Amino acid sequence: MAVVLESLATLSVLVFVVTSMLAMGLSLTLDQILDPLKDVAVVAKALAANFVFVPVLGYALVAVVPMTEGQAIGLLLLATAAGAPFLPKLVEVAKGNVAFGVGVMVLLMVTTVAYVPLVLPLLLPGVQVNPFDIANSLILLMLLPLALGLVVNARYADLAASVQPIMAQTSTTALVFLVVLMLVLNVQNLLAVLGTGVLVALLAFVAGAFAIGYLLGGDATDRKSVLGLGTAQRNISAALVVGAQNFQDPDVLTVLLVGALVMLAALMVASGELGKRTPRERGQSAQTTESVDD
């Protein structure tokens, strides 16, 4: 039974990632994705948040919170890997700038492929990371479907408009299945870390990473929410590739799996709250503009 559930979970991940990337590509243009990234200051803040401040946060938590060596390694893997496929969906729920979210996701994914092999051996001596192993899954499952969607939208707008809702609904359904399956499959792992420092560390890590991104997001609410969510949602796929290839300690993968569950649950709640605030803030902004005009 467990093998069947694990297979369904893997299938759910594949379906979610591919269909969500297709849905994003079918609804956006390349210019919409790249235009926000032409702002050098925004790019610099996104890179600093994800590849300077979050690794420092992870390293500080490992130094302060009691945990096993394997658990500490798992947390550091999360701290160094950014650019998650869940970001556009989180941004969509938060009613943020989805095009900016996709642009940030691509920026962080590409940087992760070059960053992790260089930095992780410094944090964890003896670790060997093949950048091609990380790049393969990201390119095949994320960048290619996104590029296909962009091409179809550019050349066959009517087809894109008809297919996009189907892809979006499929990705949402796959995400629901994935959340349920992750809860069922990771109950024992979750129970194993209850009452230990590692669960506290993971919660503090997600909250701290979100705060870092949100504070560096500037004045625009939709940009703050994108950077907050994008910084807190780490690239579990890249972390799992490195963890599975380099470590035999089961605590490493346990932290990665529990961390994935904690991030998904916490950030879906955060996205929902941001989505509730966004229309209200836009309404207040419109009222302010009207009063100034008067």
Side-chain angles (χ1 to χ4, degrees):
M1 187 61 162
V3 175
V4 174
L5 292 178
E6 288 175 1
S7 299
L8 288 174
T10 301
L11 179 61
S12 296
V13 171
L14 294 175
V15 172
F16 168 73
V17 173
V18 172
T19 56
S20 62
M21 291 301 100
L22 273 171
M24 293 300 112
L26 291 168
S27 62
L28 299 171
T29 66
L30 187 60
D31 286 341
Q32 286 177 308
I33 296 173
L34 295 180
D35 279 348
L37 299 182
K38 293 177 182 177
D39 188 331
V40 177
V42 170
V43 171
K45 288 177 181 179
L47 294 176
N50 282 273
F51 300 110
V52 178
F53 296 119
V54 169
V56 169
L57 171 65
Y59 199 79
L61 288 170
V62 165
V64 172
V65 180
M67 61 182 78
T68 68
E69 182 182 11
Q71 292 169 343
I73 290 170
L75 186 56
L76 289 176
L77 289 177
L78 290 176
T80 54
F86 293 104
L87 178 56
K89 179 62 70 176
L90 292 172
V91 173
E92 184 181 337
V93 173
K95 296 182 173 65
N97 187 331
V98 176
F100 179 50
V102 175
V104 168
M105 178 198 70
V106 174
L107 171 69
L108 298 181
M109 278 181 3
V110 172
T111 306
T112 292
V113 173
Y115 175 87
V116 171
L118 292 175
V119 174
L120 201 57
L122 299 178
L123 296 175
L124 302 171
V127 173
Q128 295 181 348
V129 182
N130 186 343
F132 295 105
D133 291 334
I134 300 174
N136 283 341
S137 61
L138 299 181
I139 292 172
L140 291 174
L141 298 179
M142 298 176 66
L143 294 185
L144 284 182
L146 177 63
L148 177 61
L150 290 170
V151 170
V152 172
N153 191 30
R155 296 178 63 87
Y156 311 102
D158 291 340
L159 176 62
S162 62
V163 175
Q164 194 275 339
I166 299 173
M167 293 296 102
Q169 184 59 50
T170 303
S171 71
T172 300
T173 303
L175 179 59
V176 172
F177 273 105
L178 178 61
V179 172
V180 173
L181 289 169
M182 284 185 66
L183 283 170
V184 172
L185 289 170
N186 291 287
V187 166
Q188 291 184 341
N189 289 332
L190 192 57
L191 292 175
V193 299
L194 282 178
T196 67
V198 69
L199 187 58
V200 175
L202 286 170
L203 290 169
F205 177 75
V206 175
F210 178 85
I212 289 170
Y214 194 84
L215 292 174
L216 288 176
D219 297 327
T221 302
D222 58 350
R223 207 165 261 193
K224 292 172 71 152
S225 65
V226 170
L227 285 185
L229 295 168
T231 305
Q233 180 61 61
R234 311 308 288 170
N235 193 325
I236 301 297
S237 299
L240 283 171
V241 168
V242 178
Q245 289 181 347
N246 287 273
F247 304 102
Q248 300 297 321
D249 190 335
D251 283 350
V252 176
L253 294 184
T254 296
V255 167
L256 295 180
L257 294 172
V258 174
L261 192 57
V262 169
M263 285 178 193
L264 187 57
L267 295 178
M268 285 300 289
V269 172
S271 297
E273 290 301 314
L274 289 169
K276 292 176 184 177
R277 290 176 51 191
T278 299
R280 185 167 63 247
E281 291 176 354
R282 284 176 180 165
Q284 291 172 349
S285 176
Q287 290 176 2
T288 303
T289 302
E290 289 176 1
S291 62
V292 170
D293 292 339
D294 292 341

